[in-house]
Amino acid sequence: MDRSRVTVVIVVLAAALALPFYAGPFWMGLATQIIIFGLLALSVDLLLGHTGLFSLCHASFFAVAAYTTAILQVRYGTPTVFAAPAGVLAGTLLALVFGIAVRTRGVYFILITIALGFIVWGVAYRWSSFTGGDNGVTNVPFPSIGPLAVTSHLQYYYLVLAIVMLCALGYRMLVSSPFGLGLRGIKASESRMRSLGYRTALHLYVAFVLSGALASLAGVLYVYYNRFVNPVTGSFQISVEVALMAIVGGSGTIIGPFIGSGVLLGLRNWVSSFFELHAAVMGVVFIATVLWAPDGLVGLARRLRKRRTGIRKDPA
Amino acid sequence: MKQSALEVEQLVKEFGGLRAVAGVSLSVEAGQRRVLIGPNGAGKTTLFHCITGTLRPSLGRVSLFGRDVTYLEEYERTALGMGRTFQISNVFTELTLLENLTLAIVGTDRRKWTMLRPVRAFGSVREEALQGLEAVGLEHRAAETAQHLSYGERRQLELALALKSNPRLLLLDEPCAGLSPSERQRISRMIADLPRTTTVVMIEHDMDVALGLADRVTVLHRGSVILEGTPDEVQANPKVREVYFGHA
Ligand SMILES: Nc1ncnc2c1ncn2[C@@H]1O[C@H](COP(=O)(O)OP(=O)(O)OP(=O)(O)O)[C@@H](O)[C@H]1O
Ligand SMILES: [Mg+2]
């Protein structure tokens, strides 16, 4: 890692750790959401940024995990020790099934994931005796494991921060491993990878399942924060928004999806306080990104820095 | 008789109504250098694709090292010891040369599934990758991405990739096409210097390169083999002169 990247990481971490000392409850809540959705965007970007597959069904894993944990906690009084892992497991099992989508590429992959996503949303919406329909599942308690119980939003913020930081570290390990390099190889040339001995479909399937597992973890973190879950959680709109987060922030990077999450959620909060059309604003942000920062904000920052250092070195 | 590295029996490949390969049989002994020649559109690349598993033949069989691989996937054939280059350079343009070679090296073993150890922790892979680049004279550009390579350099990287999957059978699709004379010489040297444990089947338009390297030459025309023989026999054959050079 070069020096500027280390600096960025340290500044971001310090800001996140110190946040409760300078931000009120509203901002704390927003920050928790940004981190959780950042993790969801990161999970989408394992496919998008590293394999080139554009998934639009990640809200499904997120929602199935959230529903599973919520229903177990609320309706059956299952303790967090079981309810939280069960949520991750349920979302991951769904990813094992939806993983068949990797048999297709390009626009067909996008279409299949959209269709799969609508199935989950439809079930959540219609199977109301189990999912609570439109109302969803409410009154999810804070998580508690034995004597260790989260009792405030502040504590939960730190818990989420810690878990997501561990995930980011694991993710970093994964993408710099031979397996992760293989994914980027498939993105660059799948036919070449096959001729080098890779069973590319299996590589992509494994990546899809890992990505689904990460999205499921985000779903469990989300339901304990939000205290309720309804079909909107698994909607197409969420799938699109998290993909946008990854692209706006910087696809193929780790910090990018979190930055994108911050920009989009921050903007939505700000805009919707005086304006009904936050979806239109998201559209404008996306178009601006594609036109002026195709590599996202991280890519833009890198480009600007390169230009600046380039000028400084020039007069020789 | 020596064991054959490659055996093709009555292979047919049709595209719609077009018979690109119309019943080709071919047997290449282990260790041989075989060159495939033939005019544009003769079906050489298509035949290659059927041998590697990139395309499924319409009819016929393919065996590698005495094993029927007709129904095996491309990655399974590679695992048996097959390596190939593409007629149009097919390298990982977004990755560095070192990463390109790394993918080729770990592609044929279980290390490609390692998830919890960074690539840079595999020192021996790095060394092997640098050796592979050195062999084609690209070691000084190891850290650059392949998109910065010239056309000729990409051809060289292409060859380095094929060699690093440790092939017992190497299939080269016009490795020298479009290269400068000096690059051409370097590549033909490299191919000539390969150990005889590697069987080479090469498509080549350049007669000098082809005839210099080949033990035997197979001439393909409109999807069929019209002649097989030593370089001298092929050169002397009037039929070959007609289809290949357009005059007798
Ligand atoms: N994927 C495909 N679909 C349809 N037709 C194809 C396809 N690939 C090749 N062909 C046709 O099959 C015939 C043989 O093509 P092939 O590329 O095998 O020839 P070649 O001998 O390699 O020629 P060249 O010397 O130009 O590389 C050509 O007529 C070509 O147009
Ligand atoms: Mg060809």
Side-chain angles (χ1 to χ4, degrees), chain A residues 225-249:
Chain A
Y225 159 78
N226 204 39
R227 319 295 290 273
F228 80 94
V229 50
N230 69 6
V232 174
T233 311
S235 65
F236 176 64
Q237 193 189 334
I238 299 282
S239 288
V240 173
E241 276 183 16
V242 291
L244 286 191
M245 287 172 184
I247 294 168
V248 167

Side-chain angles (χ1 to χ4, degrees), chain A residues 296-307:
Chain A
L297 293 171
V298 171
L300 186 68
R302 281 188 192 152
R303 211 147 25 116
L304 291 178
R305 198 167 68 93
K306 212 179 254 172
R307 193 181 297 170

Side-chain angles (χ1 to χ4, degrees), chain A residues 4 22 69 86 183-184 194-195 223 228 241 281 292 295 309:
Chain A
S4 73
Y22 56 85
T69 300
L183 298 182
R184 276 175 287 140
R194 284 205 202 96
S195 78
V223 80
F228 80 94
E241 276 183 16
V281 174
W292 292 300
D295 299 322
T309 51

Side-chain angles (χ1 to χ4, degrees), chain B residues 23-42:
Chain B
V24 166
S25 296
L26 202 69
S27 172
V28 182
E29 265 181 16
Q32 202 181 70
R33 272 85 181 103
R34 171 72 59 99
V35 170
L36 280 177
I37 61 171
N40 291 113

Side-chain angles (χ1 to χ4, degrees), chain B residues 45 87 173-174:
Chain B
T45 297
Q87 180 168 4
D173 197 345
E174 302 196 25

Side-chain angles (χ1 to χ4, degrees), chain A residues 1 170-204 206-207 210, chain B residues 74-75 78-79 82-86 90-95 99-100 102-104 106-108 111-120 122 158-159 161-162 165:
Chain A
M1 259 207 297
Y171 187 94
R172 194 176 132 77
M173 181 63 87
L174 182 75
V175 297
S176 52
S177 71
F179 175 78
L181 181 60
L183 298 182
R184 276 175 287 140
I186 292 171
K187 185 183 183 193
S189 171
E190 186 169 356
S191 58
R192 180 37 112 178
M193 287 294 278
R194 284 205 202 96
S195 78
L196 290 178
Y198 291 81
R199 189 175 179 178
T200 56
L202 185 59
H203 251 73
L204 292 176
V206 171
L210 289 172
Chain B
E74 191 166 6
Y75 73 91
T78 301
M82 180 197 77
R84 60 95 49 107
T85 66
F86 291 81
N90 190 352
V91 300
F92 306 108
T93 47
E94 296 140 50
L95 304 182
E99 288 171 330
N100 268 268
T102 302
L103 283 173
V106 301
T108 43
R111 286 176 293 186
K112 62 174 174 259
W113 288 108
T114 308
M115 295 184 184
L116 295 177
R117 210 170 145 214
V119 172
R120 71 189 123 70
F122 293 84
E158 176 82 32
L159 184 61
L161 287 180
S165 55

Side-chain angles (χ1 to χ4, degrees), chain B residues 57-69:
Chain B
S58 312
L59 288 171
R61 319 189 73 76
V62 178
S63 318
L64 297 179
F65 317 108
R67 172 156 176 207
D68 188 337
V69 299

Side-chain angles (χ1 to χ4, degrees), chain A residues 31-55:
Chain A
T32 313
Q33 271 193 64
I34 288 171
I35 296 169
I36 293 170
F37 277 94
L39 183 64
L40 181 57
L42 185 69
S43 78
V44 172
D45 200 48
L46 179 62
L47 296 179
L48 184 58
H50 295 268
T51 73
L53 292 173
F54 198 132
S55 160

